[in-house]
Amino acid sequence: MLPYQSCSMNKISLSVLATFLISLSIFAQKPQKLTSNQIYEQVQKLNFLGTALYIAAHPDDENTRLIAYLANHVKARTGYLSLTRGDGGQNLIGTEIRELLGVIRTQELLAARSIDGGEQFFTRANDFGYSKHPDETLEIWNKNEVLSDVVWAIRTFKPDVVINRFDHRTPGTTHGHHTASAMLSVQAFELAKDSTSYVEQLKHTDVWQPKRLYQNTSSWFYRGREAEFKELTKGFTKFDIGVYYPLKGVSNNELASKASSQHLCQGFGRLSTRGEQYEYAEFLKGDKPTDKKDIFSGINTTWSRLKNGEQIGKILYEVEKNFDFVNPSKHLPKLLEAYQLIQELEDMHWQKIKEKQIKQIIEACAGLYIEASAVVNASGIPNETIELNFEVLNRSAIQMLLTSVTPTLEKNIIYKGLELKQNKKFNFKEFVLLKTDNFTAPYWLNDKASLGMYAVENQLLRGKPETPRIVKIDFNLIINFTPIVITKNVVIKYAERDKGEIYEPFDVLPRVTTKLADKVLVFSDSIPKKVNVEVRAGSKFVTGKVSLKVPENWNVTPKEIDFNIAQKKDKQTVSFIVTPPKEASEGKLIVTATSQGKVYKKELVEINYNHIPKQNVLLNSEAKIVRLDIKKVGEKIGYIKGAGDLVPESLRQIGYKVEFINPTEINYKNLHKYDAIVLGIRAYNVVKELKFKQKFLLDFVAKGGNLIVQYNTSRNVDVAAPFPLKLSRDRVTDETAEVVILADENPLINFPNKITQNDFKGWVQERGLYFPNYWHAAYKPILSMNDKGETPKLGSLLIAKYGKGHYIYTGLSFFRELPAGVSGAYKLFANMLSVQR
């Protein structure tokens, strides 16, 4: 939400909102049953025909205060287009990075929108990491393709108003993704109406011209320049986003704080705020508003904007005016009358939107509970028959009939003919065929991505936040003589004693998936290694063969192994022997399974955090294999976890014994058994106890120990180093930037591995981040590097002698390089661990 800090740790502890987030997560997937107040608010939104689209670059760039204000105070249909899914950031709650982190952040954005009332969209842009200029960003992203996705979002969402979070006129002053998002929005604002631009889109939608374009700015951008901000914003549209909502019992700011606090993997938990507070919007282009205090002024947002809409409005405005909070069901006859008229609207864009909205209101006013849940499992495989539980309950006095249910996959009408009398529940079971060859894993990960773009061939999927649910049921009803179809996703529900009732989405997954324990296999010598492959069954009685494909100069035995698994979700582990070549080499190890004549090459990754729905992700079942000549000194490493990384697993690959150290148990006695101690990324940002344990760590160093501290962000953090050093925002984002070795004679460069320029080839995403820019003379800088056009940065790797031991601080991004199998990064880290006692 704040510029330059889309991946930063908020100084407020994650625990501040833990209770709220956990309680929210438990109920996140339960059917949302609206209260009378919420139904009334939905009627208000039904009667507002205006749309706003907010555009920025990342998860947490969005201004939840303004989105919540537009969605809840103005009642506008409000969307957030995030150009990326935040794949290039860091993860404060686990070890997922890159595409798996993007899956988490996608769901966190959806959770935020469920609170602030907005809708969520994306482009295919891949968050490749921090970028210092939009020129670099647009070159890596493929400007034309991302621009087409912004045009697509405008043409399909059809906003009256577009609002940019960032300024398109200030390239080079903030994250390149930020400025690029605004630049693309300005261009798309004009191109969306051009029938000669992106013509292939017009098979599925129409051209569209938003009425006006704004840039949203806040006093946050002008800290220390308050007078300049006051003068600048004199002519801007001004919003009091601290407005109070009596029907909700909270202010807009409180609602927005809860929404932005869903970005848990970024540590974006916020204390709620109340009272008057302002946001500003600068008019950029389009039709100037007749009232500059209202971004929708001069735009018809009533039912009369639609042909034959006035008759609908006459009915629904009356429902809103005389809404009965005690007995909302009394409005059902009028709502059903309006529903029939909405069905006849010629404007198909608004017809679909308003049909969906009024169906939800009708369902809520009737107290209608309809559900289809899987009897046994949360997943099935293509062409499998599953058993479903159905529950149907009408809690109103209105006449209602369930004529039939229709599984949308097979279009097989199951006739029921049930008269749904008030508060009389019906339960029944049916068998449904999963007639599909598709899976419900994240669609943008199906095909190989480039550094800057995800590959999505299907135009209708582009922009969607997640893969549409495949398994749905149409409940065909007649309510007060009006036919109406309400569609529900199939779910799975169960109870846990310490959590109560839990809902999960129902997915379609492959019959067979395989998994390697490690995504990188490092061979530090030519000795063969046993490689285990875990085979998972997606259904009962799965048999087949599994094999490994290795590069030409590697060897694997046996060629294939049989597997036989009787129970669904059960696993069988098979073992191969992989022999590396004698010389340095690297390549891919690919797992292939065959069963019933079909080939399976996917790994199933389950992401299961309390604050988001469980996610099943399908990735290629493969690993990078590396044969490198690497030497090391020492054996036993103590690791203090930080924000979450895979460095410990990587160190085990080259023969270290790594033990995790509980920070609360650190004392003078229990550290000296280790040859070195490593602090995980952002440890001082997220581990409170470290500030009280630093004396023990420094004592370990003084008595001959070797302490390695990996990067921390610079926000109000004291790394409590033995000699002063100051963290900064200095970073080198170009992973190919030249590295100059400053200390040729230093052991870090020479022992036990000789580090050369070749060891900085093949790095991924970046060189490093948050380098110190000031340090005491006791530190020795080892490397120099810089991005194009910048001064050399010397703080990426510092070493100081302290007592009998060594203290090392590094901002190099080992947390990315080691899991990616970068040989030179392994050698350099081994040298850091091998500094002699």
Side-chain angles (χ1 to χ4, degrees):
M1 179 170 181
L2 302 179
Y4 202 72
Q5 307 205 22
S6 65
C7 301
S8 63
M9 168 67 178
N10 192 288
K11 67 179 181 180
I12 299 169
S13 169
L14 292 179
S15 63
V16 171
L17 289 166
T19 301
F20 163 76
L21 291 171
I22 291 172
S23 63
L24 179 70
S25 68
I26 292 172
F27 301 105
Q29 292 304 298
K30 287 189 176 182
Q32 298 300 303
K33 296 305 171 185
L34 305 182
T35 65
S36 293
N37 287 356
Q38 291 170 322
I39 296 172
Y40 176 69
E41 289 177 312
Q42 291 302 313
V43 172
Q44 290 179 307
K45 295 193 77 169
L46 180 65
N47 283 336
F48 190 90
L49 280 74
T51 306
L53 180 62
Y54 198 90
I55 299 179
H58 309 109
D60 94 348
D61 281 347
E62 84 274 26
N63 186 341
T64 54
R65 296 185 295 267
L66 188 52
I67 290 175
Y69 177 88
L70 292 171
N72 295 278
H73 181 71
V74 179
K75 308 299 182 186
R77 183 177 181 233
T78 307
Y80 174 44
L81 174 61
S82 176
L83 267 59
T84 77
R85 297 176 186 266
D87 328 69
Q90 293 91 50
N91 183 359
L92 269 70
I93 61 174
T95 59
E96 296 90 352
I97 58 175
R98 292 302 313 153
E99 64 273 2
L100 295 180
L101 179 59
V103 173
I104 294 172
R105 291 189 173 181
T106 294
Q107 291 301 316
E108 289 181 341
L109 274 174
L110 288 170
R113 299 294 79 77
S114 71
I115 293 171
D116 62 32
E119 299 179 45
Q120 186 61 51
F121 307 99
F122 294 95
T123 74
R124 288 169 291 159
N126 192 344
D127 181 1
F128 56 84
Y130 194 88
S131 176
K132 294 181 178 178
H133 200 281
D135 288 350
E136 177 200 42
T137 297
L138 294 173
E139 181 179 347
I140 294 175
W141 271 355
N142 186 333
K143 176 183 175 181
N144 185 62
E145 290 302 305
V146 181
L147 179 58
S148 78
D149 287 355
V150 181
V151 170
W152 172 254
I154 292 174
R155 285 175 172 175
T156 53
F157 194 60
K158 301 191 185 306
D160 300 300
V161 176
V162 176
I163 306 172
N164 295 338
R165 180 49 166 162
F166 299 106
D167 192 341
H168 65 288
R169 299 158 294 194
T170 57
T173 61
T174 182
H175 197 323
H177 297 183
H178 291 171
T179 310
S181 71
M183 293 168 65
L184 293 172
S185 174
V186 171
Q187 294 178 58
F189 182 85
E190 301 294 344
L191 290 175
K193 68 179 179 183
D194 183 0
S195 61
T196 65
S197 296
Y198 305 112
V199 178
E200 67 282 358
Q201 296 180 1
L202 301 180
K203 300 174 185 176
H204 311 288
T205 189
D206 301 314
V207 295
W208 181 255
Q209 176 61 67
K211 295 294 189 296
R212 53 192 67 128
L213 176 67
Y214 290 91
Q215 189 228 326
N216 168 219
T217 190
S218 307
S219 59
W220 193 95
F221 290 90
Y222 290 84
R223 290 175 298 175
R225 297 183 290 155
E226 286 75 14
E228 179 185 346
F229 178 72
K230 186 176 181 180
E231 182 66 26
L232 175 72
T233 56
K234 280 184 177 179
F236 291 5
T237 299
K238 183 178 177 181
F239 310 92
D240 178 7
I241 44 81
V243 62
Y244 177 66
Y245 300 127
L247 291 174
K248 298 178 184 296
V250 296
S251 69
N252 187 77
N253 272 340
E254 290 173 295
L255 195 67
S257 294
K258 290 181 180 179
S260 63
S261 293
Q262 303 309 300
H263 298 298
L264 197 59
C265 74
Q266 302 187 66
F268 218 72
R270 290 172 51 193
L271 288 173
S272 59
T273 58
R274 287 151 290 279
E276 182 181 87
Q277 188 176 355
Y278 290 96
E279 288 286 337
Y280 300 83
E282 177 189 4
F283 174 80
L284 296 179
K285 60 169 55 181
D287 299 334
K288 287 190 175 181
T290 54
D291 177 2
K292 72 176 185 180
K293 295 181 180 179
D294 177 9
I295 62 172
F296 282 99
S297 65
I299 300 171
N300 186 355
T301 59
T302 71
W303 279 101
S304 65
R305 83 180 283 172
L306 304 180
K307 183 180 179 181
N308 300 324
E310 290 187 5
Q311 186 180 359
I312 300 170
K314 184 177 180 181
I315 297 169
L316 294 177
Y317 292 138
E318 189 68 21
V319 171
E320 179 181 344
K321 180 180 178 180
N322 298 299
F323 188 78
D324 190 331
F325 289 86
V326 176
N327 181 26
S329 65
K330 68 177 285 186
H331 301 295
L332 283 169
K334 288 295 183 182
L335 290 168
L336 289 163
E337 182 182 351
Y339 168 77
Q340 290 176 304
L341 294 172
I342 288 172
Q343 295 287 95
E344 299 171 4
L345 285 172
E346 294 181 14
D347 188 321
M348 295 308 297
H349 172 73
W350 280 111
Q351 189 275 328
K352 290 178 181 178
I353 294 168
K354 293 305 173 182
E355 178 187 18
K356 180 180 178 181
Q357 290 178 342
I358 200 168
K359 276 185 178 182
Q360 292 171 340
I361 294 169
I362 290 169
E363 183 180 351
C365 284
L368 181 58
Y369 191 95
I370 49 179
E371 178 181 273
S373 60
V375 173
V376 179
N377 292 298
S379 67
I381 65 171
N383 299 306
E384 177 185 15
T385 298
I386 61 170
E387 187 178 15
L388 299 182
N389 279 323
F390 288 81
E391 181 177 344
V392 185
L393 175 63
N394 169 25
R395 288 174 284 198
S396 71
I398 198 163
Q399 187 175 5
M400 192 179 303
L401 179 71
L402 175 67
T403 61
S404 60
V405 293
T406 307
T408 58
L409 282 176
E410 53 179 325
K411 304 297 183 184
N412 177 35
I413 300 175
I414 304 170
Y415 293 98
K416 305 308 296 185
L418 297 175
E419 183 181 356
L420 304 180
K421 295 183 178 180
Q422 185 173 11
N423 215 32
K424 182 180 180 182
K425 183 175 69 171
F426 287 92
N427 291 100
F428 54 91
K429 295 180 186 290
E430 298 290 348
F431 287 93
V432 171
L433 175 65
L434 302 181
K435 193 175 181 181
T436 180
D437 292 321
N438 297 319
F439 305 120
T440 42
Y443 70 87
W444 63 95
L445 301 179
N446 286 343
D447 297 314
K448 183 176 176 59
S450 67
L451 174 63
M453 294 291 294
Y454 285 112
V456 181
E457 291 299 320
N458 186 341
Q459 181 69 56
L460 296 178
L461 283 177
R462 293 178 185 176
K464 291 186 181 297
E466 56 185 345
T467 303
R469 292 288 155 192
I470 297 174
V471 190
K472 298 173 179 285
I473 301 294
D474 287 340
F475 290 80
N476 306 305
L477 299 151
I478 297 177
I479 304 176
N480 204 29
F481 305 105
T482 301
I484 187 168
V485 179
I486 296 178
T487 304
K488 295 290 183 181
N489 294 326
V490 172
V491 297
I492 182 77
K493 64 177 183 179
Y494 56 95
E496 291 188 0
R497 290 182 180 272
D498 59 339
K499 294 180 181 179
E501 189 176 49
I502 297 174
Y503 280 73
E504 291 180 4
F506 183 89
D507 289 341
V508 179
L509 299 172
R511 178 181 178 84
V512 178
T513 54
T514 59
K515 180 180 181 180
L516 291 159
D518 299 292
K519 283 297 183 182
V520 175
L521 297 168
V522 179
F523 293 75
S524 57
D525 50 40
S526 58
I527 298 174
K529 281 187 179 182
K530 182 168 73 171
V531 175
N532 293 329
V533 178
E534 182 183 89
V535 184
R536 180 188 184 276
S539 65
K540 292 182 178 180
F541 307 116
V542 174
T543 62
K545 298 179 182 294
V546 62
S547 62
L548 297 184
K549 181 181 178 182
V550 294
E552 187 175 341
N553 53 344
W554 295 64
N555 187 47
V556 59
T557 56
K559 296 299 182 184
E560 60 183 20
I561 300 175
D562 292 335
F563 61 87
N564 189 330
I565 307 174
Q567 295 297 319
K568 182 174 183 174
K569 293 187 178 181
D570 200 3
K571 301 167 185 177
Q572 179 181 338
T573 299
V574 298
S575 299
F576 295 86
I577 300 299
V578 175
T579 304
K582 292 183 179 181
E583 66 280 359
S585 174
E586 61 181 58
K588 278 186 179 181
L589 183 151
I590 300 172
V591 185
T592 300
T594 57
S595 179
Q596 295 187 354
K598 291 189 175 182
V599 177
Y600 299 91
K601 294 187 176 183
K602 293 293 184 180
E603 171 190 356
L604 174 64
V605 180
E606 295 181 348
I607 300 176
N608 199 3
Y609 289 101
N610 282 333
H611 67 299
I612 59 174
K614 182 180 177 182
Q615 299 296 300
N616 288 310
V617 184
L618 295 174
L619 302 177
N620 290 334
S621 186
E622 61 187 33
K624 183 176 182 179
I625 48 176
V626 180
R627 166 70 174 96
L628 60 88
D629 289 316
I630 188 170
K631 302 178 182 65
K632 64 184 183 66
V633 173
E635 182 175 318
K636 197 170 186 180
I637 307 300
Y639 203 91
I640 300 173
K641 290 183 180 180
D645 58 63
L646 294 172
V647 171
E649 290 82 351
S650 300
L651 297 180
R652 292 185 182 114
Q653 285 282 333
I654 54 175
Y656 284 105
K657 295 179 180 178
V658 184
E659 292 182 0
F660 290 112
I661 300 174
N662 184 340
T664 62
E665 298 175 358
I666 293 174
N667 57 48
Y668 284 116
K669 295 181 179 180
N670 63 3
L671 298 181
H672 296 281
K673 61 183 177 181
Y674 299 111
D675 295 308
I677 293 174
V678 181
L679 271 64
I681 62 171
R682 300 175 75 168
Y684 288 101
N685 293 120
V686 299
V687 182
K688 294 178 182 179
E689 293 84 359
L690 281 180
K691 70 171 73 173
F692 307 110
K693 301 294 184 177
Q694 190 67 10
K695 59 185 178 183
F696 304 120
L697 293 171
L698 294 182
D699 177 73
F700 167 75
V701 179
K703 292 179 179 178
N706 180 15
L707 180 65
I708 299 170
V709 179
Q710 297 182 84
Y711 96 95
N712 290 265
T713 63
S714 58
R715 299 184 67 193
N716 301 313
V717 169
D718 179 8
V719 297
F723 309 103
L725 62 78
K726 184 178 180 181
L727 303 184
S728 73
R729 296 189 180 280
D730 287 352
R731 62 174 78 200
V732 176
T733 62
D734 182 358
E735 62 272 20
T736 66
E738 181 183 2
V739 177
V740 177
I741 297 173
L742 300 174
D744 287 323
E745 304 304 319
N746 195 280
L748 282 185
I749 298 301
N750 295 284
F751 180 80
N753 304 287
K754 178 64 177 178
I755 303 299
T756 69
Q757 292 291 337
N758 285 334
D759 292 308
F760 296 98
K761 293 180 179 178
W763 284 50
V764 299
Q765 185 160 328
E766 61 203 354
R767 289 295 189 196
L769 61 172
Y770 292 99
F771 298 162
N773 64 355
Y774 165 80
W775 52 85
H776 188 274
Y779 294 100
K780 180 72 174 177
I782 304 299
L783 305 172
S784 172
M785 60 190 71
N786 59 274
D787 283 321
K788 184 179 179 181
E790 295 190 355
T791 58
K793 304 296 184 288
L794 310 183
S796 64
L797 181 58
L798 304 173
I799 183 170
K801 182 76 174 176
Y802 180 68
K804 297 179 180 179
H806 293 87
Y807 177 94
I808 298 173
Y809 188 92
T810 180
L812 294 171
S813 58
F814 288 106
F815 74 104
R816 297 196 189 281
E817 312 312 321
L818 298 185
V822 177
S823 300
Y826 274 92
K827 291 170 63 178
L828 183 54
F829 210 102
N831 282 12
M832 294 194 303
L833 291 170
S834 301
V835 173
Q836 293 293 321
R837 283 191 165 206

